[in-house]
Each structure stands twice: as C-alpha cells, then as structure tokens.
C-alpha cells in the first residue's frame, strides 16, 4: 500500500500516489455531487422497475407500468386519427361531385389522397402518376381520360375498378382482336387512316372504308373515342400503348386491355374519395359541372 | 453519514492530523472583510494538531456581502441605468402598434407560433433570420467595443445580473436596514422577529422574481390577453412553466447567489481579460498615492510618511461584490464605481483631493505613478482598437439597415415538378408543372400578377384558374401576411423545345414590387 500521509499546507489526507512529486489530495466529493449521484441511482432503480429495461433471453423485462414503444405508437396513431376524424366525417358526408365546392376540404382530401396514392397506386402509375406507355398504365397527369376525368368519373373508376371480375358495375369493354381479319395491305391502310385522324399520315379511301366498317362504332367517325365504352380517342397526341405503326398494328390484331383493381372494400370509402380528389388535382382533372352540362361525351373538335 | 475522511483503524495512528486554525473560524460572522488576515498568509502558519477529525468544511463558505448605502454621481448614474433598463424590460410588451386587422397590435412581439418577429414597423420572417443573427453579432461586437473603450461598463451598470442584484440589495436595505443592522441581524439567533423579517424579505424576492418572469412571457404573446388568460388559468402551460423557472432563477441568482454568479458562473469576466488592455478604463486604487495607509491622526503627527488612504474600508463596505479594490484589479470587480463614490466622499470630508480610487487606464496609472499629470478618461475613447470595433459594429449595423430598407415584401419561389418533367397533352402541346410560392409580407391581402416571360406561346393556368382561362399572365390574391402556394401549369404548343424562361410576380398596388425567378421548361427530345 502506498504511503498515505497528511498534506501539510492543506491538512488533507493524500490518496498515497505520487507522480513526479505531485500528490493527489483525498478530497471528499462535494456533497451536492454525491447527492446528485445518489438521486440518479434511485432514479435508475425506479426506472428499471417501472419500464422495460432488463434484457432477458427472448424479451426484456416488462416493467410495472406496462409501457411499450408499440403501445405508444398505437396511442399516437389513435390520437392522430381522432384529430383527423372531423375531416373524415365531413368527407364521408360530402358527395364526391360536391367536393370541389369546399376548397379547404378539397385541400385536405388532396393531401390525404397523395399519401394514399403513394401506398396503393405508385406500383402501376408511378410516384409522379405518369404511368407507363410500355406497360399500358395510363398517365394520370394529362388531359386524356379513357373513362372520364371529372371527380365523379374518377371516383367511379377507383371504386369499381376496370375490367375487374366479380363486380357487375366495373368499367368494362372489349376491343375485338382483328387477327386474320385484314391482310397486310389492308392493315397498313387502316393504320394510315388511324394516324391520319391526328394528322400524322395520309389516309386512303380504302383505309377510311376499313375504319368505317370496323372501328367507328366505338372510336367514332373522327376518332373521338367513347368514354361510355372506354374507347380511346385516336385523334389526339396521347397514345396509351404507343403511336408507332408497329404499336398500332399490334393493338389492332391482338389488343391488350388494362385492368385496375376495384378499391371498394380494400380501402375505406373516405380514402377512395381522397384518392379521387388527388388524381383529379394532378393537372388533368376535368370540371364536373361542365361535363355534366354537356352529356355528349364524344367530342369531335379536330378539324 | 460517516465522514469519508475518517482515518481507518490502525492506519490513522501514523498520521499527524492537523487543522489550520483559520478554518475553524470560517463559521463566524464576518464583520469586516478587510479585518480578516489573508488566506494565503494563514496557510504558511505552523499547524498544530487540534482535533482527531479532519475539518468538516473543506471549502470556505461564502461571506455574505452587506454593502453599505452610498450616494454619489456613479450611484445616481446606476439608478438611472436601472430605471431605464427595468423600464424598457417591463413596459415594452405593453406598447401597442396598429398593424391593421391581419396582424397583432403589439409593438414588440416574438410570435413563435406563427414564426413572426414584430418590432415596431419592422416585421421579420423566418427566412430573414439573418437580421436577428446580425443583431446578435452587433451585440457581441458592441460588448467588445464598450469593453475596449470604457472597460467593464456592461458588468457594472447594464448587465441584468447587476441590475437585479442591485434591486435585491435595495430590498435588503428596505427590510433589514443598512449594513450594520444587516450584519447584526445575520449574526442574531433565529427569533420570531428574524423569521418574520426573513419571510417578508423573501416574499418580496418572490414577487420581484414573479414580475421578472411575468414580464418575459409578455414578449411572446399579446400582453393584455395573456395576463387575462394567465390569471384565469387558461394560458398555455409553457407560460406557467416559464414564469416558474424565471421566478426561481431570478430569486436564486439575484437574491441569493449574487456576486457568485459574476465570479464563478459568468464567462464574460474571463473573456474580458482578453478584451482589456493597458488603455482600457478600469476602476483603480492609486496605491502610489494611498500607501502606506494611516489614519488622519497618524498622518498629522508624521507629515509626509503616510499616503492618502486612511484605511476607513468604506470602499470595501459599499462594494456589491464584497471585494477590496485596493488589492488591485480582480475578477470580482464589476467596475460599478460605488467605491469611487465612497472614497471621494471620504476624501472630501478629510480635505484631500478626490480620485484616490478612480477610473483610469493602466497606462495612465503608470504615468501618474511616475509623477505625470492625470488625464481625462474620455481620451481613451478614440484609439485604433476602439475605432476598429466601432467601424465593424457600425458596418454591420449599416448593412442591416440597408437590407431592411431595401427588402421586398413580395417574393416568389419556384419549384418545378420533376416527376414527370413534362406532360404531353391531347392537343399535342407540352405541359410543365410548377409549385409557386408567393410571399406577401404586408399585413393586408394583395393581388399579384404572375407572368410567364421568355417562353414563346407559353400559357399558364393554375389549380384555381382553369385551363379555359389559360394566358401568359394570371392574377391571384395572396392573403395578408402569408405565403400562398400556387400550382402553376405552363403549356407550350406542339413542337416546343426545352428552354429557360422566367416567372415574374408583380404586386398590383402602389408599391408594384416585383420578383423574378428563372426556371426551366422541359419538352420531349426530338426523335
């Protein structure tokens, strides 16, 4: 044991160590420090008893307060839901076509819809809702709508889906496959006519005749499409599955038609409304009132 | 609790347990700070073993400072500063300022909830925080400036700790009487009378503390409303917590800790060691004039053998931090100059010239000690260091004023959508989307015009203005004192190319403030 002694000038005991002639005084800890330390010990013991703390083999000790981070999250989620409850109630009450009249409610619906979109819709339509031409997922930002682009139409599409088996009210239509119906020359003539509708090719009498015989019923004489049937417009610049001759030919011979799940039953009605509001807000949404005023959906405005 | 210093059985015998006789004295009331022998000299006195145990107290307890009442020019100046600073502190939140129906009517308000800072006609938004940063820098450099020019004037007169301590010392004087009465009362046993007196004094402390905290929260909400809510128990919990904390800290720091804050807690005296130089004004005892000390009688008997200091200890008795300035410059001196008042008064009474203790620079001290003439302290104001500090300080101030005068109350920020970057519309035109933020810093709604410039054929519509009304110029109304977010769609007819263009926002009022942002228009690549 080192030689403990009393330090002369201060009268304090030393700890007995010496380094290069420097000795350490054995000064007791300040009282306040000591009490603070004891308090932290007491606090720590209390904490271990009250909260989950001690790791065991499969889980930690439970603590007498029964607190868990999971439980806290659940509590916070409930609180957040309660905070939103008024808005959701109001949304539930408001018919979709009247949603646009309350701009604040609309704003909240759009915000909620954006969140729901990121969870449920981005898988096909992309995070920016731009869709995919290769895979045939429509772009939701543009002003071309197969089934209508006002709030009510979007809401209907979301609710019942497209070509969704098991729902009688689903959006559905069928483009017949024309494989074997035309020879190659006829097919080229038909494609020329389709492209001519948007001014991209010269049509021929034969092509026009083929179109009139096979396509007019759904796509309209000037290619305006038909939203009742989900028949795309052919006279605009937007092509769901590509505007190349190859793509058009393929679509005539062996048409591919998209499907969309119905969200009724998967999402609650309020969320579906919010999604409709969000999709409508993306920039291509159509005004419900105006569309309602003019029930003639086929618009032939091309020259 | 057993003393951890108790010698262990067996081992203790070898040790000669000693105690210095000075330590045992520390419990005694201190009647005069100067009468105590200096601790340093005591230490070297021979130790004699007196007790089995080591001293229970390892730290010297605080000696209560009971400073004596004094009157004089510096004391009166201190009163004035106290009046002005406390006046500003307590009155400011109650000043009203008409800002119209869209903004609070409080002249000085830190509105944390809405992130606005109001100061008379100035309104600071969060993005203009550089104004606050600039003010803080000015405050810092201002401290350097003041310190280099007139020493620790901040400590002595304007520091909140000084002002509140002064206030509490006046409370002491009001309740317990002046120095001698207070010293006696401190030493007296705890009778009912003393208890009542202390309770009364401490409740005044509490009231002052409460008022201090109460005034503080007024800066963060509309004062009359807050007072009303506060007493009805309807104010925000943070208001009560703040008042409680500030009451506690004011009473603790101003009422009980006092000079200990200046000596042990405050970093500023340490920094000032670096800020002061031989040309800075400090409170100095002119030892070449005062030493050796001797009473008036002694000096009369032996002319020429004694200095001017008669060792009356008035300078020590009036000191609010309880130091002896005659020991030279020290960290406990806050240069409040009360000792100058005290000494000047004594010198006048005994018919000697004033200024035995005085404001002086170290340079002056040396010259004066060598027989030179005393110089006016004001001379210390003009020197390169002070001027340099002033130039920096004024430069920042000027820049802030310039920025304040030239700032626009209308601002535009543009965030282009990048997902997707562009959109083909059914008529073949190309559309880009942007999120515009229109900032209206006026406290009234303003109509603004957004224009698309430098984009051939470009038209714009927004989330509230339909595409059927698309045009290169649109008008929107921005609510008072708010940022309005507008989603803008810009379309260019078929065949557009990617290019730069400009959004311009103009306020449609007398100011016609304008702001432009250049951004990008994306279009499909030519195939």
């Amino acid at each position: 044991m080192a030689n403990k002694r009393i330090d002369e000038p201060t009268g304090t005991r030393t700890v007995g160590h010496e380094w290069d002639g420097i000795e350490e005084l054995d000064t007791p800890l300040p009282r306040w420090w000591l009490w603070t330390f004891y308090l932290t010990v007491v606090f720590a013991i209390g904490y271990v008893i009250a909260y989950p703390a001690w790791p065991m083999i499969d889980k930690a000790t439970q603590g007498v307060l029964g607190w868990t981070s999971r439980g806290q999250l659940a509590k916070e989620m409930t609180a957040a839901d309660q905070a939103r409850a008024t808005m959701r109630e109001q949304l539930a009450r408001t018919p979709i076509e009247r949603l646009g009249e309350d701009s604040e409610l609309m704003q909240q619906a759009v915000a909620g819809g954006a969140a729901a979109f990121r969870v449920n819709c981005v898988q096909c339509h992309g995070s920016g809702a731009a869709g995919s031409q290769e895979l045939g997922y429509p772009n939701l930002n543009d002003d071309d709508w197969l089934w209508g682009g006002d709030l009510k139409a979007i809401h209907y599409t979301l609710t019942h889906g497209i070509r969704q088996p098991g729902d009688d009210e689903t959006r559905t239509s069928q483009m017949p496959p024309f494989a074997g119906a035309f020879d190659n020359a006829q097919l080229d003539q038909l494609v020329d006519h389709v492209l001519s509708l948007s001014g991209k090719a010269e049509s021929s009498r034969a092509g026009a005749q083929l179109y009139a015989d096979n396509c007019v019923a759904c796509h309209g004489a000037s290619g305006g499409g038909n939203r009742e049937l989900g028949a795309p417009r052919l006279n605009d610049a937007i092509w769901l599955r590509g505007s190349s001759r190859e793509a058009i030919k393929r679509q005539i011979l062996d048409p591919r038609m998209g499907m969309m799940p119905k969200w009724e039953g998967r999402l609650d009605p309020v969320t579906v409304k919010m999604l409709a509001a969000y999709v409508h807000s993306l920039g291509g949404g159509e005004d419900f009132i105006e569309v309602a005023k003019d029930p003639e959906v086929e618009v032939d405005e091309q020259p | 609790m057993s003393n951890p210093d108790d010698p262990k059985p067996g081992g203790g015998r070898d040790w000669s347990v000693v105690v210095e006789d000075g330590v045992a004295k520390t419990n005694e009331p201190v009647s005069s700070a100067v009468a105590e022998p200096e601790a340093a000299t005591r230490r070297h006195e021979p130790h004699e073993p007196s007790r089995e145990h080591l001293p229970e107290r390892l730290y010297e307890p605080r000696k209560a400072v009971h400073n004596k009442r004094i009157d004089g020019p510096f004391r009166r100046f201190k009163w004035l500063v106290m009046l002005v600073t406390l006046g500003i502190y307590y009155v400011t939140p109650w000043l009203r300022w008409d800002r119209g129906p869209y903004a609070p009517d409080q002249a000085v308000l830190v509105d944390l909830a809405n992130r606005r800072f109001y100061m008379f006609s100035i309104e600071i938004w969060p993005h203009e925080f550089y104004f606050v940063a600039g003010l803080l820098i000015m405050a810092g450099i201002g401290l350097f400036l003041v310190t280099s020019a007139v020493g620790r004037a901040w400590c002595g007169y304007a520091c909140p700790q000084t002002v509140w301590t002064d206030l509490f010392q006046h409370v002491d004087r009001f309740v317990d009487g002046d120095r001698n009465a207070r010293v006696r009362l401190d030493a007296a046993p705890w009778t009912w009378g003393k208890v009542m007196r202390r309770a009364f004094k401490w409740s005044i402390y509490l009231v002052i503390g409460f008022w201090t905290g109460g005034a503080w929260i007024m800066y963060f909400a509309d004062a009359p409303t807050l007072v009303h809510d506060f007493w009805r128990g309807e104010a925000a919990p943070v208001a009560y917590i703040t008042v409680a904390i500030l009451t506690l800290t004011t009473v603790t720091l101003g009422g009980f800790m006092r000079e200990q804050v200046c000596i042990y807690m405050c970093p500023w005296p340490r920094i000032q060691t670096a800020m002061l130089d031989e040309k800075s004004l400090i409170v100095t005892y002119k030892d070449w004039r005062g030493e050796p000390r001797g009473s008036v009688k002694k000096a009369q008997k032996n002319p020429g053998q004694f200095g001017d200091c008669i060792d009356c200890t008035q300078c020590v008795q009036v000191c609010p931090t309880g130091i002896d300035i005659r020991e030279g410059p020290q960290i406990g001196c806050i240069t409040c100059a009360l000792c100058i008042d005290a000494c000047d008064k004594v010198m006048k009474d005994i018919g000697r010239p004033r200024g035995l203790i005085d404001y002086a620079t170290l340079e002056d001290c040396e010259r004066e000690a060598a027989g030179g003439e005393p110089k006016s302290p004001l001379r210390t104001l003009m020197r390169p260091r002070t001027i340099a500090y002033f130039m920096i300080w004024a430069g920042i101030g000027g820049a802030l004023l310039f920025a304040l005068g030239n700032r626009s109350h209308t601002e535009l920020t543009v965030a282009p959508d990048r997902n997707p970057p562009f959109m083909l519309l059914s008529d073949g035109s190309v559309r880009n989307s942007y999120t515009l933020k229109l900032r209206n810093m006026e406290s009234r709604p303003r109509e603004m015009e957004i224009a698309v410039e430098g984009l051939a054929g470009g038209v714009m519509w927004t989330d509230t203005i339909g595409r059927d009304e698309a045009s290169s110029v649109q008008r929107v109304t921005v609510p008072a004192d708010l940022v309005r977010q507008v989603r803008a769609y810009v379309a260019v007819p078929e065949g557009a190319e990617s290019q730069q263009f400009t959004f311009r926002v103009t306020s449609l009022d007398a100011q016609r403030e304008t702001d432009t942002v250049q951004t990008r228009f994306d279009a499909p690549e030519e195939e």
Side-chain angles (χ1 to χ4, degrees), chain B residues 272-338:
Chain B
Q272 285 188 102
T273 317
M275 301 306 308
L276 293 170
D277 60 14
E278 67 280 1
K279 290 186 162 108
S280 310
L281 273 181
I282 51 171
V283 172
T284 326
Y285 165 66
K286 298 178 177 170
D287 54 356
W288 64 92
R289 184 183 141 191
E291 302 292 326
R293 304 167 195 174
S295 67
V296 180
K297 271 183 192 166
K298 275 190 195 165
Q300 277 169 348
K301 278 182 199 163
N302 309 292
Q305 291 205 7
F306 289 97
D308 278 349
C309 179
I310 57 167
D311 216 3
C312 65
T313 71
Q314 289 297 307
C315 53
V316 179
Q317 293 183 28
V318 298
C319 180
T321 60
I323 60 154
D324 186 348
I325 190 62
R326 297 171 301 174
E327 286 168 4
Q330 52 204 287
I331 207 162
C333 176
I334 57 170
T335 69
C336 65
L338 294 188

Side-chain angles (χ1 to χ4, degrees), chain A residues 4 6 8-9 11 13 26 28 30-31 34 127-128 130 139 141-143 233 236-238 281-284 290, chain B residues 1 4-8 15-16 18 20 47 54 58-59 419-420 423-428 431 467-468 487 489:
Chain A
K4 293 193 176 184
I6 299 293
E8 282 287 310
R13 199 171 54 163
D26 190 8
R31 208 52 67 79
L34 214 55
S127 59
N139 185 340
N141 295 283
D142 63 27
D143 59 346
R233 267 179 76 175
D236 63 8
I238 296 169
S281 78
L282 284 169
E290 282 198 1
Chain B
M1 207 173 72
D5 271 1
D6 280 346
K8 291 192 183 78
W15 306 337
S16 53
V18 287
E20 37 181 321
H47 308 290
L54 288 168
L58 281 154
Y59 312 103
N419 182 18
M423 190 65 49
L424 200 61
L425 294 181
S426 53
D427 62 0
R431 190 195 85 197
R467 193 184 169 189
D468 47 341
R487 231 177 116 66
Y489 305 106

Side-chain angles (χ1 to χ4, degrees), chain A residues 30-45:
Chain A
R31 208 52 67 79
W32 66 265
W33 192 96
L34 214 55
W35 279 110
T36 313
F37 176 67
Y38 292 148
L39 279 177
T40 58
V41 171
V42 170
F43 176 84
I45 292 169

Side-chain angles (χ1 to χ4, degrees), chain B residues 297-456:
Chain B
K297 271 183 192 166
K298 275 190 195 165
Q300 277 169 348
K301 278 182 199 163
N302 309 292
Q305 291 205 7
F306 289 97
D308 278 349
C309 179
I310 57 167
D311 216 3
C312 65
T313 71
Q314 289 297 307
C315 53
V316 179
Q317 293 183 28
V318 298
C319 180
T321 60
I323 60 154
D324 186 348
I325 190 62
R326 297 171 301 174
E327 286 168 4
Q330 52 204 287
I331 207 162
C333 176
I334 57 170
T335 69
C336 65
L338 294 188
C339 51
I340 302 182
D341 278 345
C343 190
D344 282 354
K345 194 159 170 263
V346 171
M347 290 298 120
K348 194 181 167 200
D349 287 348
I350 62 172
R352 292 178 190 168
R354 69 162 294 279
L356 175 58
I357 302 173
D358 206 355
Y359 271 117
T361 65
L362 282 178
E363 218 175 48
D364 286 347
C365 285
E366 278 170 22
R367 193 183 41 252
E368 231 181 294
E373 277 295 298
K375 286 192 173 178
S376 158
L378 280 179
R379 221 178 14 83
T380 60
L381 292 178
M382 298 294 273
R383 61 196 176 95
R385 206 172 117 170
T386 321
I387 292 166
Y389 279 136
F390 180 78
M391 299 299 271
I392 300 170
W393 183 83
I396 296 170
L400 286 183
L401 280 179
F402 181 79
L404 201 62
N406 285 285
R407 67 181 184 158
S408 175
H409 288 213
T410 305
E411 231 173 311
L412 173 72
T413 51
V414 175
D417 270 14
R418 282 278 168 262
N419 182 18
F422 60 84
M423 190 65 49
L424 200 61
L425 294 181
S426 53
D427 62 0
S429 57
V430 180
R431 190 195 85 197
N432 280 203
S433 313
Y434 303 86
T435 303
L436 308 183
K437 284 185 177 170
L438 296 162
R439 186 180 283 131
N440 174 19
M441 287 175 59
E442 298 270 314
S443 47
R444 59 193 158 81
R446 288 206 290 179
E447 206 179 3
M448 293 187 192
E449 198 176 73
I450 318 167
V452 171
E453 292 178 355
L455 189 65

Side-chain angles (χ1 to χ4, degrees), chain A residues 97-208:
Chain A
E97 55 268 37
R98 305 196 78 89
L99 189 55
E101 292 166 18
D102 184 343
S103 67
E104 196 182 331
L105 190 63
M106 183 73 177
Q107 241 174 4
Q108 289 183 317
V110 168
F117 189 89
R118 268 176 237 127
V119 177
N120 299 293
C121 313
V122 296
Q123 294 83 347
C124 296
H125 292 285
S127 59
S132 158
Q133 201 170 58
E134 272 138 62
L135 302 173
Y137 299 123
N139 185 340
L140 304 178
N141 295 283
D142 63 27
D143 59 346
D144 194 24
W145 297 89
L146 283 170
W147 305 92
D150 62 71
L151 267 173
K152 197 175 179 182
I154 294 171
H155 185 249
Y156 188 94
T157 306
L158 274 161
T159 310
H160 297 290
I162 293 166
R163 301 186 184 93
Q164 182 68 25
D167 186 337
D168 295 340
E169 295 175 68
T170 191
R171 305 272 200 200
T172 189
S173 69
Q174 194 84 30
M175 167 143 169
F178 289 92
F182 312 115
D183 57 34
N184 276 345
Q186 282 177 318
L187 197 56
D188 277 328
Q189 286 162 353
L190 185 55
V191 169
D192 276 339
H193 183 77
V194 168
L195 282 171
S196 77
L197 293 173
S198 50
K200 286 191 175 150
E202 285 292 315
S203 178
S204 60
R205 183 181 283 275

Side-chain angles (χ1 to χ4, degrees), chain B residues 129-206:
Chain B
F129 196 76
Y130 55 85
F131 281 118
V132 179
L135 279 180
L136 289 176
I137 293 170
M138 279 181 77
I141 294 174
L143 267 180
F144 296 170
L145 169 63
V146 167
T147 305
S148 75
V150 289
R152 293 175 63 177
W154 169 259
C155 287
Y157 301 98
C159 170
Q161 175 65 20
T162 294
V163 172
W164 262 271
T165 299
D166 206 19
L167 192 63
F168 281 110
Q169 279 169 343
H170 290 306
V171 173
D172 286 359
R173 203 163 285 141
F174 170 70
V175 178
D176 295 341
D178 205 11
R179 178 179 158 83
N180 292 337
R182 294 213 301 279
V183 170
R184 267 198 310 279
L185 191 68
D186 251 15
W190 281 92
T191 59
W192 256 113
K194 182 168 168 177
V195 170
M196 293 307 288
R197 234 171 224 281
R198 281 289 140 94
F200 179 51
K201 188 170 80 173
W202 291 340
S203 40
I204 298 181
Y205 283 7
L206 268 179

